[in-house]
């Protein structure tokens, strides 16, 4: 089976600055190059991949594009452009990125912004319209209910923009009451035909980390498939951030075990492969 991992990070402190890692004391505070994933990628059965930005700067994006150009199984890059400056966004796309066959989408680390409504700034909305005009999708990396509400407003203001919720917007434990608000908001989001769900990052949840296993994450995956459908979901391993909780092969084997129990062969091909091709224009 062909499987595209739609959420892989690489970072290298010699090539870019990563503000969120400056005071980090975990295993993440070192370089992570794509070669470091090769053994586990093969073991997990991953045949293609998408690199996703880890810093709000051009240097990170340019580094990922270099890596993609030298790595035969990487099919695309979700990079960064200065969304708060529409003119600079347009310039960056036209002069730097649209001609690059690997540049397939845009993301900004909104979960690190003090204002959960960062995306609703007038200039950012203008830039999101520019992305939509170029058929470039946008990855929302949200972690709170307010981030979902903000994304819903974006959908109303830029309805033609394709949007995906990275890590399912970090769902709460399905046994907690917070799950009710998350699920209600995600149901609203799923009503927008251009909203997609990325089953990823579920190895690093904000609560009850010690419980992470198939039983813990299956309700989130089942819910995503139920409300977004098998045509608007895809999977990502979130390496190397996922290493904080579990190894890459175990995460993918768990995801595959759950999805194999929920979908037929056609549905699995969509989730693991075809939906990523369509969403990111790979």
């Amino acid at each position: 089976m062909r499987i595209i991992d739609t959420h892989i990070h690489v970072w290298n402190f010699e090539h870019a600055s990563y503000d969120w890692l400056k005071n980090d004391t975990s295993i993440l505070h070192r370089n992570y190059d794509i070669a470091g994933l090769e053994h586990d990628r093969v073991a997990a059965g991953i045949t293609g991949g998408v690199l996703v930005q880890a810093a709000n700067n051009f240097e990170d994006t340019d580094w990922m594009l270099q890596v993609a150009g030298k790595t035969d199984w990487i099919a695309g890059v979700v990079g960064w452009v200065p969304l708060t400056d529409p003119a600079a966004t347009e310039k960056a796309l036209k002069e730097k990125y649209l001609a690059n066959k690997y540049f397939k989408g845009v993301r900004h680390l909104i979960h690190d912004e003090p204002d959960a409504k960062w995306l609703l700034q007038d200039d950012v909305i203008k830039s999101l319209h520019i992305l939509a005009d170029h058929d470039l999708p946008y990855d929302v990396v949200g972690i709170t209910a307010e981030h979902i509400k903000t994304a819903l407003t974006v959908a109303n203001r830029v309805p033609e923009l394709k949007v995906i919720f990275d890590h399912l917007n970090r769902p709460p434990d399905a046994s907690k009451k917070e799950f009710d608000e998350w699920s209600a908001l995600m149901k609203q989001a799923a009503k927008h035909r251009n909203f997609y769900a990325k089953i990823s990052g579920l190895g690093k949840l904000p609560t009850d980390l010690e419980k992470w296993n198939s039983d813990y994450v299956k309700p989130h995956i089942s819910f995503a498939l139920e409300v977004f459908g098998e045509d608007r979901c895809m999977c990502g391993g979130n390496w190397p951030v996922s290493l904080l909780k579990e190894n890459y092969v175990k995460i993918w084997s768990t995801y595959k075990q759950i999805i194999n129990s929920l979908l037929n062969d056609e549905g699995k091909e969509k989730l693991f492969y075809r939906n990523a091709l369509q969403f990111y224009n790979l």
Side-chain angles (χ1 to χ4, degrees), residues 2 9 24 56 63 71 75 247 267:
R2 296 172 293 185
H9 299 295
D24 190 282
N56 298 330
W63 171 240
T71 311
N247 73 73

Side-chain angles (χ1 to χ4, degrees), residues 9-20:
H9 299 295
V10 291
W11 53 74
N12 188 303
F13 295 102
E14 296 176 8
H15 290 275
S17 176
Y18 307 88
D19 289 344
W20 64 282

Side-chain angles (χ1 to χ4, degrees), residues 128-282:
L128 294 178
H129 276 290
I130 293 171
L131 299 187
D133 290 342
H134 292 294
D135 196 25
L136 287 169
Y138 182 77
D139 275 51
V140 169
V141 55
I143 59 175
T144 68
E146 198 62 43
H147 287 131
I148 306 177
K149 295 175 184 177
T150 295
L152 288 168
T153 303
V154 169
N156 291 326
R157 296 179 66 179
V158 197
E160 66 277 17
L161 179 69
K162 289 194 299 185
V163 175
I164 190 163
F165 285 107
D166 289 349
H167 318 321
L168 301 183
N169 204 91
R170 196 180 285 184
D173 185 329
S175 66
K176 302 291 181 65
K177 66 177 184 178
E178 291 85 2
F179 185 85
D180 293 338
E181 181 182 22
W182 173 84
S183 61
L185 289 169
M186 291 295 271
K187 285 179 181 178
Q188 290 184 47
K191 293 177 181 178
H192 293 268
R193 62 181 178 84
N194 279 336
F195 262 131
Y196 290 67
K198 189 179 289 190
I199 297 168
S200 62
L202 299 183
K204 184 176 183 292
L205 295 165
T207 59
D208 298 328
L209 290 177
E210 72 282 357
K211 293 182 180 178
W212 192 87
N213 54 37
S214 179
D215 291 338
Y216 186 79
V217 300
K218 186 173 183 177
H220 305 121
I221 297 175
S222 299
F223 175 85
L225 288 171
E226 177 186 348
V227 301
F228 286 91
E230 62 184 34
D231 292 323
R232 289 189 289 149
C233 291
M234 60 197 75
C235 290
N238 197 32
W239 184 87
V241 179
S242 57
L243 297 177
L244 291 172
K245 184 55 195 173
E246 190 55 84
N247 73 73
Y248 186 80
V249 177
K250 173 65 179 300
I251 284 173
W252 270 102
S253 65
T254 300
Y255 287 166
K256 286 190 282 187
Q257 174 191 350
I258 294 170
I259 290 163
N260 287 341
S261 72
L262 296 173
L263 297 176
N264 60 24
D265 288 345
E266 181 181 3
K268 286 183 284 187
E269 185 179 31
K270 290 178 181 178
L271 195 72
F272 288 131
Y273 184 73
R274 294 197 177 279
N275 293 346
L277 291 183
Q278 180 269 327
F279 183 81
Y280 286 118
N281 296 313
L282 302 179

Side-chain angles (χ1 to χ4, degrees), residues 84-96:
T84 55
D85 187 336
T89 289
E90 186 72 69
K91 181 179 180 180
L93 292 176
K94 289 185 175 180
E95 296 183 3
K96 289 172 66 74

